[in-house]
Amino acid sequence: DGGITQSPKYLFRKEGQNVTLSCEQNLNHDAMYWYRQDPGQGLRLIYYSQIVNDFQKGDIAEGYSVSREKKESFPLTVTSAQKNPTAFYLCASSPVEANYGYTFGSGTRLTVV
Amino acid sequence: GQQLNQSPQSMFIQEGEDVSMNCTSSSIFNTWLWYKQDPGEGPVLLIALYKAGELTSNGRLTAQFGITRKDSFLNISASIPSDVGIYFCAGQYFGNEKLTFGTGTRLTIIP
């Protein structure tokens, strides 16, 4: 079955460490997105990519980095420069023409300890 | 970035009640989408709307694309416990533009 997989589901990080969240899709979608969700809040766009080897900053890119070396994969690195990294992170994908909507992964909950 | 205004922000209802929520924008859209997010999971697409005035149903859910193209509405009839979650609207103007998401409506069912 086609879908989008995020791993791990839960992640714990010590302060000052970088951590990478995985996102893989086998839907043959060109576009991929990373969102952050804080408790009781909506979705805030971190980064997005519409084609391999190209990506753009979203609304809250500071302290995050991404790469898009393969169409299927769009990993997100939360760096030590991100001051409040504890959150729920969602990855999504879509065709470039996204009017049929995004397909979301099941999320990764990152906790800084 | 812009976020669409959803109302109400949260709802506390009893099982069996009907639910209405809406989403408004300062810009017009050509596509409106409604998603549901279960606790601890990613949002799942419920309904997609592509034409002003369009009314579309998916089981107990009915959504409408506002005639001004600046709003959309979602109704849930005869709510059941599994309806609990956060409902997000999303709009899009052009086909290759990113979606703009609403702020979400949290639905809670009181025993």
Side-chain angles (χ1 to χ4, degrees):
Chain A
D1 285 340
I4 181 166
T5 302
Q6 290 186 243
S7 61
K9 182 66 176 176
Y10 300 94
L11 190 56
F12 297 87
R13 189 196 91 175
K14 291 183 179 180
E15 282 193 30
Q17 287 182 340
N18 293 353
V19 64
T20 297
L21 282 59
S22 171
C23 180
E24 303 275 337
Q25 55 97 2
N26 60 2
L27 298 165
N28 200 33
H29 285 167
D30 289 300
M32 297 186 74
Y33 314 83
W34 275 105
Y35 285 88
R36 170 180 172 143
Q37 187 177 28
D38 292 288
Q41 302 297 314
L43 307 174
R44 292 189 290 168
L45 182 65
I46 306 172
Y47 269 98
Y48 67 101
S49 167
Q50 294 188 311
I51 194 169
V52 173
N53 292 323
D54 188 45
F55 47 83
Q56 283 75 44
K57 293 182 179 180
D59 302 316
I60 56 165
E62 185 175 351
Y64 300 97
S65 66
V66 293
S67 63
R68 187 85 187 275
E69 297 176 0
K70 298 187 302 181
K71 186 176 183 177
E72 301 79 16
S73 179
F74 192 40
L76 173 74
T77 296
V78 185
T79 74
S80 56
Q82 170 49 237
K83 298 306 178 188
N84 296 295
T86 295
F88 189 54
Y89 291 87
L90 285 161
C91 180
S93 70
S94 74
V96 172
E97 294 198 0
N99 55 329
Y100 292 104
Y102 298 170
T103 301
F104 283 88
S106 57
T108 291
R109 185 167 300 281
L110 173 63
T111 303
V112 174
V113 296
Chain B
Q2 179 192 11
Q3 276 196 315
L4 306 177
N5 292 318
Q6 278 189 249
S7 178
Q9 192 171 22
S10 59
M11 303 182 73
F12 296 85
I13 63 168
Q14 291 187 324
E15 185 176 349
E17 288 187 24
D18 296 343
V19 171
S20 293
M21 61 188 77
N22 67 74
C23 189
T24 58
S25 169
S26 56
S27 308
I28 62 172
F29 287 118
N30 290 325
T31 299
W32 282 98
L33 305 163
W34 284 92
Y35 285 85
K36 176 178 183 263
Q37 183 181 28
D38 290 328
E41 296 296 328
V44 173
L45 183 65
L46 298 173
I47 293 178
L49 302 155
Y50 299 105
K51 187 176 178 181
E54 179 182 358
L55 190 70
T56 297
S57 293
N58 178 4
R60 294 177 296 105
L61 278 61
T62 301
Q64 185 164 23
F65 192 136
I67 57 173
T68 66
R69 297 168 62 194
K70 291 185 177 182
D71 54 11
S72 182
F73 309 88
L74 177 69
N75 295 315
I76 305 172
S77 62
S79 59
I80 60 177
S82 62
D83 291 334
V84 165
I86 304 175
Y87 291 81
F88 289 102
C89 63
Q92 189 199 44
Y93 184 51
F94 286 115
N96 62 349
E97 283 191 355
K98 302 187 304 300
L99 299 183
T100 299
F101 283 90
T103 49
T105 293
R106 182 180 295 272
L107 180 63
T108 301
I109 294 183
I110 305 168

